[in-house]
Amino acid sequence: MASNILFLPFRRTHTVSLSAAIRQYISSKYDQHPDMFVTDLAAIDQLRADAVNSLEPHVSGIKKLTAYAAQLVWIGGKFPIDIGVDFTWYPALGYNTQKPVSQNNLRFELANVLFNLAALYSQLAVSLNRSTSEGLKSACNYFCQAAGVISHIKEEIISDMRSSPPEDMDTMTLESIQQLLLAQAQECFWSKAVKDGMKDGIIARLAAKVSDFYDQAAEYGTKSDTISTEWIHHMTAKHHHFAAAAQYRASRDCLDKQNYGEEVARLRDSIVCVNEGLKESRYLNKIVLGDLNGLKARVSEDLKRAEKDNDVIYLMPVPPKSELKTLDRAGMATARVPQEISDPASTLGEGGQFGQPLFAKLVPYAVHIAASIYEERKNRMVNVNIIDEMEGLTNKLRDLLQSLNLPGSLQALEKPLGLPPSLTSHAEEVRQQDGLHRLRRSMHETSKLKANDMAIYQEGVDLLRSEAAEDDRAKLKHGTDRWNRLPSQQAAEKLYAQVTEIDGYLKSAASSDDLVKAKLKDCEKVLGVLSGSDRDLEEFVPSSRRATMTPNVERAAYNLRNMLNEVSRLESRRKRQVEKMRDKAKRDDINEVILAETARLEREMPMQKIEPANFETLFEERLERYDEDRKLVTAESEEQDQLSAQLKEANNTFATARKGDSSTRDREQSLQKLENAYIKYKEIINNLNTGRKFYNDLANIVTRFRDGCKNFAYQRRVEAGQLESDLSNAMSVLNLSQVTSLQDQKQRETLRSQYSAKAPSSEPLTAPTPTRAAVQPPPPTAPTPGMWNPEMGIKFGGALEQQPNGDVHNPAYPSAKPRGGQWDMNQGVRFG
């Protein structure tokens, strides 16, 4: 049914199972079983069904939509924004209302639900009886709430969506809709003021503000690609209509104040504004057009009377428009966000109109993120700042022993025949662990893990390259103007960043693998001896004659042996400390503490979204328990420095006492080689264990990367197919609707140029001049004397005065005296 005000249409959607996605997410990401939330899962689906099916202008729909919106805001703190369900919605405005948009995004779902709430408010306003003061008051309130919801979508929802909004929810479109709703709210208030018989001066200020709102709505509409030209013409006409109405009411106020000259000036300007509005008549419905014509008739009648009275009786000067005081504005319409939308906390919980929040007993998603952040910080502190530091100290001590040729030099002297006990125990340990075979087998397994990771990673890279190549071929085929979707690198920016990141991981790991292989190659021959039989060891270690030990040598050897025992005790103690630290970190479970902190936050700040940053203070306090362990590293370093100095001094004394004795040199070298090989063996085992863990962890990363590439490539192919189908249809079918669409686009561009180059808002807009399509003229024929021919044209009695803009119709105030170019009935009509 035709009306002089507009309403927002509803957005449509498909049925989706939000509960299934939530169930799956709880099952895979949370420690709690989804069966604990069977009631909540059923409730969320019912809430959505009630909300998306509220497509009638009835007040019951408000509660259904706001209840679902409140729960969406609440569960946004429990689950990630990409919960795992594609919400499909059809645009409400524009030329693609039959083309659905799908996003795996809870904020996208919330934006669409709130848009429908704004549409419901606007349709409720239109459905009311606006012939009564009470109906106008209610309609104004509904329009203000609709504008408030649109403002909330624009400022709070779209900015947090983390994805591109639908085309009819871009900034210009939402601004135009908001200004339109405010204009119609202000118009209702103006109508109530007229009906209640308020003073003309007040009504004039109200009408001026209505005109401003419509002007802003039309201006934003011309910058939007989805606001239809019919709406833009409607808003433009209403802008001029209320500018005229404001001047008309101001003229009546002037009449009351006996300002007769200003009365005439304002009535003339009112006529100009009405005529500007009537230039949109071909695009307007009968009601809006009737309102304009009715206003014109009234203003024309008053202008005729006012001019006659002033010319005959009052003789007051009529000021030009530039000297008229700009009308004050009385803005009564404001965007009011309903409390259920601005503060959903007040609607949920004890005493809330929408009952208890769903999934209240589920640990928020941010809490899991916070727990993982703490685990990462704890592991970095324990492993890097404590354990790695202590192991580094131990390696530094071992390097010192090797540089001093210890313990080989001392073992050769103490036991010139047979094998030292420490060497025997080392050899037995290597043999029990299968020595070289274990290392080779472990390296082979690590290589297989690496090859598997490389294959999965390469599969993902190939998918990206293939998709990019397909996109490039499509651009060459259709051209970049028509094939205007985002390039592959921009559409999958995170995936392409992962390509470089994972490639760096693999190159770094390959460098570490080469280093381990080099270590094994250097000591492989000696390790073969160490993992062999005792006979092999005895053959490798030559015997030496028993040296005569002088008291000085015996005393130096005794001191050096004590120092080596101190080194052994230090290493054993550190090994126990490292194991103790690992056990302490393993038992450090923050889950119970973080859950208690979450409960406190939810009590003190209900409905405020829980963020990992809320737990920073807790993290700092919790990590203080490792301060003593970090101090222990410093103490160990200081103790080792003292022990190293004493060891060097004892070794120097020992070397000085044995100066000139080379009887055990060969045995010393052999024993030291075996000792160094044992140390390298332990290092290689640690390196291989680290490498195996690295490649196992990397497998999860590259698998997620490959799956992401698969999903991206699939989505892009579906999108490409749809785009190619649209382009094919556009090229093969040129029907009437497409012609109309092109005409609409031209009209939109014309309106845009008018608004971008228009004069100040107080000046009326000039409607575009209609043109005829070119028609091939018929062959010229000789004119019949005395008969008029269309080719002759019509000439009036006076000469036409050419206007500067080339148009004989100048939208200015009508002059009291006839000018050249106006037809005088006394001069008749003369044919050319």
Side-chain angles (χ1 to χ4, degrees):
M1 183 176 67
S3 174
N4 63 348
I5 58 177
L6 302 173
F7 63 85
L8 288 180
F10 287 113
R11 303 172 76 86
R12 296 177 297 108
T13 184
H14 294 312
T15 301
V16 296
S17 180
L18 179 55
S19 64
I22 294 177
R23 172 182 285 273
Q24 176 63 29
Y25 197 87
I26 293 174
S27 178
S28 60
K29 300 293 184 179
Y30 288 78
D31 294 333
Q32 296 157 285
H33 197 279
D35 288 344
M36 296 172 57
F37 308 98
V38 173
T39 304
D40 291 347
L41 291 168
I44 193 66
D45 277 346
Q46 187 60 49
L47 282 171
R48 186 179 196 275
D50 291 342
V52 301
N53 291 318
S54 297
L55 303 179
E56 296 292 335
H58 193 276
V59 291
S60 63
I62 297 176
K63 182 176 181 180
K64 295 175 182 178
L65 288 164
T66 51
Y68 180 51
Q71 294 290 358
L72 281 177
V73 174
W74 167 257
I75 66 175
K78 298 282 186 179
F79 301 102
I81 193 171
D82 50 343
I83 184 63
V85 56
D86 289 327
F87 298 103
T88 302
W89 288 86
Y90 289 84
L93 303 172
Y95 303 101
N96 295 313
T97 55
Q98 300 303 315
K99 185 177 180 181
V101 179
S102 297
Q103 288 191 24
N104 174 18
N105 192 320
L106 283 173
R107 306 296 281 183
F108 172 74
E109 169 85 344
L110 179 60
N112 284 277
V113 171
L114 292 181
F115 188 96
N116 271 6
L117 179 61
L120 177 59
Y121 280 130
S122 72
Q123 294 186 31
L124 286 171
V126 174
S127 67
L128 290 172
N129 180 10
R130 298 191 307 282
S131 62
T132 65
S133 295
E134 197 61 35
L136 287 169
K137 182 179 178 181
S138 298
C140 177
N141 181 56
Y142 279 137
F143 277 130
C144 288
Q145 287 181 302
V149 174
I150 293 296
S151 175
H152 184 77
I153 294 173
K154 178 185 62 180
E155 297 173 3
E156 302 295 334
I157 307 302
I158 298 298
S159 60
D160 195 33
M161 191 179 289
R162 306 178 196 173
S163 63
S164 299
E167 62 179 8
D168 59 344
M169 283 193 192
D170 68 307
T171 302
M172 291 298 118
T173 302
L174 293 179
E175 284 284 3
S176 179
I177 293 172
Q178 182 179 341
Q179 295 303 317
L180 171 63
L181 294 169
L182 290 174
Q184 297 183 157
Q186 181 82 7
E187 182 178 351
C188 290
F189 200 94
W190 170 85
S191 298
K192 186 176 184 299
V194 173
K195 186 172 290 293
D196 293 346
M198 289 188 177
K199 293 182 179 180
D200 289 313
I202 296 176
I203 296 176
R205 293 196 292 273
L206 291 171
K209 189 60 179 178
V210 177
S211 178
D212 291 347
F213 278 135
Y214 274 119
D215 183 33
Q216 292 171 3
E219 184 172 0
Y220 283 121
T222 59
K223 299 175 183 177
S224 165
D225 292 328
T226 53
I227 299 296
S228 66
T229 53
E230 289 81 7
W231 277 29
I232 295 175
H233 287 301
H234 172 93
M235 293 183 287
T236 303
K238 298 282 274 190
H239 157 57
H240 293 305
H241 179 184
F242 279 93
Q247 293 288 29
Y248 171 67
R249 287 289 176 170
S251 75
R252 294 185 59 171
D253 187 54
C254 292
L255 178 61
D256 292 341
K257 297 177 180 178
Q258 299 181 358
N259 296 329
Y260 302 110
E262 183 178 346
E263 176 197 9
V264 174
R266 291 197 181 276
L267 286 170
R268 288 176 179 174
D269 190 48
S270 181
I271 283 290
V272 172
C273 293
V274 169
N275 289 334
E276 287 298 320
L278 286 172
K279 290 179 181 180
E280 310 286 341
S281 59
R282 61 181 293 190
Y283 308 104
L284 305 178
N285 64 46
K286 293 181 180 180
I287 297 179
V288 177
L289 186 58
D291 291 343
L292 278 168
N293 285 324
L295 178 60
K296 182 177 181 180
R298 180 177 294 183
V299 174
S300 299
E301 183 179 345
D302 280 13
L303 177 61
K304 184 177 180 181
R305 186 264 311 154
E307 286 180 334
K308 181 179 178 181
D309 290 348
N310 193 53
D311 291 343
V312 174
I313 303 172
Y314 307 116
L315 303 175
M316 286 188 177
V318 178
K321 181 178 181 180
S322 59
E323 295 181 7
L324 290 176
K325 180 184 176 182
T326 302
L327 294 176
D328 293 332
R329 269 57 175 168
M332 304 304 295
T334 56
R336 294 199 301 270
V337 185
Q339 186 180 6
E340 296 88 347
I341 301 304
S342 62
D343 184 21
S346 62
T347 65
L348 299 176
E350 294 294 335
Q353 59 176 313
F354 300 144
Q356 293 295 330
L358 301 180
F359 308 100
K361 296 182 180 179
L362 185 68
V363 179
Y365 176 73
V367 173
H368 291 266
I369 299 297
S372 64
I373 291 174
Y374 175 77
E375 285 294 320
E376 180 184 354
R377 292 184 185 178
K378 177 191 69 176
N379 291 335
R380 183 169 62 247
M381 175 175 289
V382 171
N383 293 327
V384 177
N385 297 341
I386 299 176
I387 294 179
D388 286 355
E389 289 289 333
M390 296 186 77
E391 290 182 345
L393 290 174
T394 302
N395 291 332
K396 184 179 179 181
L397 189 58
R398 288 173 177 171
D399 291 340
L400 175 62
L401 291 174
Q402 290 182 22
S403 67
L404 298 178
N405 202 24
L406 293 174
S409 59
L410 186 59
Q411 289 175 343
L413 179 65
E414 291 176 338
K415 192 172 177 61
L417 301 174
L419 300 175
S422 61
L423 176 61
T424 305
S425 64
H426 290 166
E428 184 63 25
E429 180 183 347
V430 172
R431 282 195 292 266
Q432 287 181 356
Q433 296 178 357
D434 204 14
L436 273 176
H437 295 292
R438 175 188 177 181
L439 296 181
R440 289 168 180 158
R441 185 168 60 251
S442 182
M443 293 183 73
H444 178 68
E445 291 172 355
T446 304
S447 298
K448 287 174 64 177
L449 290 173
K450 177 183 177 180
N452 183 61
D453 292 350
M454 285 286 294
I456 297 174
Y457 165 71
Q458 193 60 46
E459 183 181 351
V461 173
D462 291 342
L463 286 168
L464 291 180
R465 288 176 179 169
S466 175
E467 188 282 325
E470 291 175 2
D471 191 56
D472 291 339
R473 287 194 295 269
K475 285 181 181 177
L476 291 174
K477 179 180 178 181
H478 299 285
T480 54
D481 289 339
R482 286 183 292 170
W483 196 263
N484 53 7
R485 66 174 183 168
L486 284 175
S488 301
Q489 287 80 358
Q490 295 181 19
E493 188 175 352
K494 290 184 179 180
L495 289 175
Y496 276 90
Q498 279 187 287
V499 171
T500 305
E501 184 180 1
I502 296 175
D503 184 61
Y505 292 158
L506 290 170
K507 287 180 178 178
S508 176
S511 177
S512 299
D513 293 343
D514 292 339
L515 184 61
V516 173
K517 290 177 182 178
K519 283 184 182 180
L520 179 60
K521 185 176 180 180
D522 290 343
C523 65
E524 186 173 10
K525 183 177 180 181
V526 182
L527 268 180
V529 175
L530 193 61
S531 59
S533 62
D534 288 345
R535 180 179 292 277
D536 295 331
L537 286 172
E538 290 173 353
E539 291 178 356
F540 184 80
V541 179
S543 298
S544 61
R545 61 182 178 81
R546 182 176 297 276
T548 303
M549 295 183 65
T550 65
N552 288 338
V553 171
E554 188 173 355
R555 187 166 48 252
Y558 176 79
N559 291 334
L560 184 57
R561 170 56 60 190
N562 287 338
M563 295 308 304
L564 289 177
N565 290 338
E566 286 295 324
V567 169
S568 297
R569 281 193 292 271
L570 178 64
E571 288 184 353
S572 299
R573 187 183 69 203
R574 279 188 187 160
K575 187 175 181 180
R576 291 193 302 271
Q577 289 172 340
V578 167
E579 292 301 321
K580 184 179 178 181
M581 276 299 308
R582 289 195 173 112
D583 184 61
K584 179 180 178 179
K586 186 176 181 180
R587 288 184 287 103
D588 183 10
D589 186 1
I590 199 175
N591 287 330
E592 291 185 6
V593 178
I594 207 169
L595 286 175
E597 179 67 9
T598 302
R600 184 188 68 81
L601 291 172
E602 289 182 340
R603 283 194 309 271
E604 296 179 0
M605 298 178 290
M607 291 300 294
Q608 179 174 330
K609 188 175 182 180
I610 302 295
E611 298 288 352
N614 297 129
F615 303 96
E616 284 297 328
T617 304
L618 175 64
F619 293 165
E620 293 175 1
E621 294 175 355
R622 187 81 174 183
L623 290 174
E624 287 178 358
R625 60 176 56 191
Y626 297 100
D627 288 349
E628 291 297 324
D629 300 296
R630 297 176 68 180
K631 293 177 181 178
L632 180 63
V633 175
T634 304
E636 286 285 325
S637 177
E638 294 174 355
E639 182 180 354
Q640 178 167 312
D641 290 341
Q642 295 177 2
L643 183 61
S644 297
Q646 295 173 2
L647 181 64
K648 289 178 182 178
E649 183 180 354
N651 187 70
N652 289 335
T653 302
F654 177 72
T656 301
R658 294 195 62 213
K659 190 172 182 178
D661 184 5
S662 59
S663 60
T664 61
R665 183 174 300 168
D666 293 340
R667 184 174 175 84
E668 289 176 14
Q669 293 177 351
S670 298
L671 290 173
Q672 193 60 41
K673 285 181 181 179
L674 291 171
E675 182 67 22
N676 293 343
Y678 172 76
I679 294 173
K680 290 291 184 184
Y681 171 75
K682 302 292 286 185
E683 286 182 7
I684 292 172
I685 287 178
N686 289 333
N687 294 151
L688 290 174
N689 289 336
T690 302
R692 186 183 301 107
K693 183 179 184 303
F694 169 80
Y695 285 118
N696 282 326
D697 294 340
L698 185 62
N700 296 326
I701 296 174
V702 295
T703 300
R704 287 195 298 270
F705 167 72
R706 180 197 58 188
D707 293 343
C709 293
K710 283 183 178 179
N711 293 334
F712 171 71
Y714 173 76
Q715 292 173 0
R716 293 277 283 185
R717 288 193 181 100
V718 172
E719 180 184 302
Q722 182 64 42
L723 189 55
E724 285 199 341
S725 176
D726 293 344
L727 291 174
S728 176
N729 293 336
M731 294 295 293
S732 62
V733 181
L734 290 175
N735 53 27
L736 182 61
S737 64
Q738 290 173 310
V739 174
T740 303
S741 177
L742 290 174
Q743 292 174 346
D744 286 343
Q745 185 66 25
K746 290 180 180 178
Q747 293 171 1
R748 187 187 303 278
E749 294 299 328
T750 303
L751 288 170
R752 279 183 183 166
S753 63
Q754 291 171 359
Y755 270 93
S756 61
K758 71 176 184 178
S761 59
S762 60
E763 294 290 338
L765 292 174
T766 302
T769 303
T771 58
R772 292 180 181 271
V775 180
Q776 185 68 29
T781 58
T784 304
M787 182 178 292
W788 177 74
N789 188 296
E791 298 298 322
M792 298 167 62
I794 298 176
K795 297 181 180 178
F796 296 96
L800 291 175
E801 179 181 61
Q802 184 68 26
Q803 299 297 326
N805 61 0
D807 188 355
V808 298
H809 301 291
N810 188 14
Y813 297 107
S815 176
K817 297 180 180 180
R819 300 174 300 184
Q822 292 181 334
W823 177 62
D824 189 346
M825 60 182 296
N826 295 323
Q827 296 179 0
V829 178
R830 178 169 61 85
F831 296 101

